[in-house]
């Protein structure tokens, strides 16, 4: 089977220190003066995420454009959602993610000497452009985007497809 493989997540993992997009967006929203509570915001974020997947051309959006699109969709779903774009939060969000990705790149480069690397993530068909913008796209032997694969985690199919593309099995990963 060759070298052992390492399978990682993307959103909230490679671009943040374990903090999901929804939580980072909520903090950005509060910092910009938003007044919705966490449950209202989560509902709006889930709706925005669903709409994001249906945007024309979404598969070509890089990380910055995805963050801006998500904020734009939230603007329409929250009475004060416009504060996300107006306060420059998106730029700060991307800058923070870029800094974390740079740090994580060094770790991934080191790991790639011993492991074949794969990323499996819930995305809108644009995982590769997001990885590329953050300087991580060239590090992975396999990139499995849930929209492209047709299965979202925790559905085992995304993992089976990823392992198959790696030429690996779960025990070696």
């Amino acid at each position: 089977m060759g070298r052992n493989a390492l399978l990682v997540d993307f959103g909230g993992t490679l671009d943040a220190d374990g903090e999901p997009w929804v939580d980072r967006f909520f903090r950005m929203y509060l910092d910009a003066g938003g007044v919705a509570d966490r449950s209202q915001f989560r509902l709006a974020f889930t709706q925005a995420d669903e709409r994001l997947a249906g945007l024309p051309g979404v598969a070509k959006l890089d990380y910055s454009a995805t963050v801006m699109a998500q904020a734009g969709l939230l603007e329409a779903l929250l009475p004060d959602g416009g504060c996300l774009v107006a306060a420059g939060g998106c730029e700060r969000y991307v800058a923070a993610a870029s800094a974390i990705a740079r740090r994580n790149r060094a770790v991934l480069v080191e790991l790639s000497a011993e492991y074949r690397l794969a990323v499996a993530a819930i995305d809108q068909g644009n995982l590769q452009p997001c990885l590329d913008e953050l300087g991580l796209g060239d590090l992975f032997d396999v990139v499995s985007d849930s929209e492209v694969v047709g299965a979202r985690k925790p559905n085992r199919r995304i993992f089976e497809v990823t392992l198959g593309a790696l030429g690996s099995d779960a025990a070696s990963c």
Side-chain angles (χ1 to χ4, degrees):
M1 285 249 152
R3 280 189 305 170
N4 288 343
L6 180 63
L7 177 60
V8 298
D9 180 39
F10 173 65
T13 304
L14 294 179
D15 66 335
D17 290 327
E19 189 177 18
W21 275 50
V22 63
D23 295 336
R24 291 162 41 216
F25 261 87
F26 183 60
R27 188 175 62 247
M28 178 173 69
Y29 169 74
L30 292 178
D31 289 348
V35 297
D37 66 25
R38 183 176 292 277
S39 63
Q40 292 169 314
F41 185 86
R42 276 189 178 278
L43 178 60
F45 190 88
T46 299
Q47 291 171 343
D49 229 20
E50 290 167 1
R51 291 179 185 181
L52 181 63
L55 285 179
V58 68
K60 294 179 181 172
L61 297 182
D62 62 13
Y63 195 87
S64 297
T66 302
V67 169
M68 288 298 292
Q70 184 83 24
L73 291 165
L74 284 166
E75 182 174 5
L77 293 167
L78 293 164
D80 56 355
C83 68
L84 285 165
V85 175
C90 294
E91 292 81 4
R92 287 189 299 281
Y93 187 102
V94 171
S98 295
I100 290 170
R102 278 190 302 279
R103 183 199 66 211
N104 287 337
R105 180 179 174 81
V107 173
L108 290 168
V109 166
E110 215 172 293
L111 288 168
S112 70
E114 186 173 342
Y115 299 96
R116 295 191 67 222
L117 300 180
V119 58
I122 297 172
D123 247 285
Q124 291 78 25
N126 66 332
L127 180 56
Q128 188 67 56
C130 289
L131 289 168
D132 290 344
E133 180 184 352
L134 294 177
L136 302 173
D138 63 319
L139 297 175
F140 295 97
D141 298 294
V142 176
V143 174
S144 293
D145 184 311
S146 61
E147 187 66 24
V148 174
V149 171
R152 293 173 68 94
K153 296 182 292 182
N155 184 318
R156 67 182 290 135
R157 184 165 178 275
I158 193 167
F159 300 107
E160 290 167 348
V161 167
T162 306
L163 290 170
L166 279 169
S168 189
D169 60 13
S172 301
C173 190

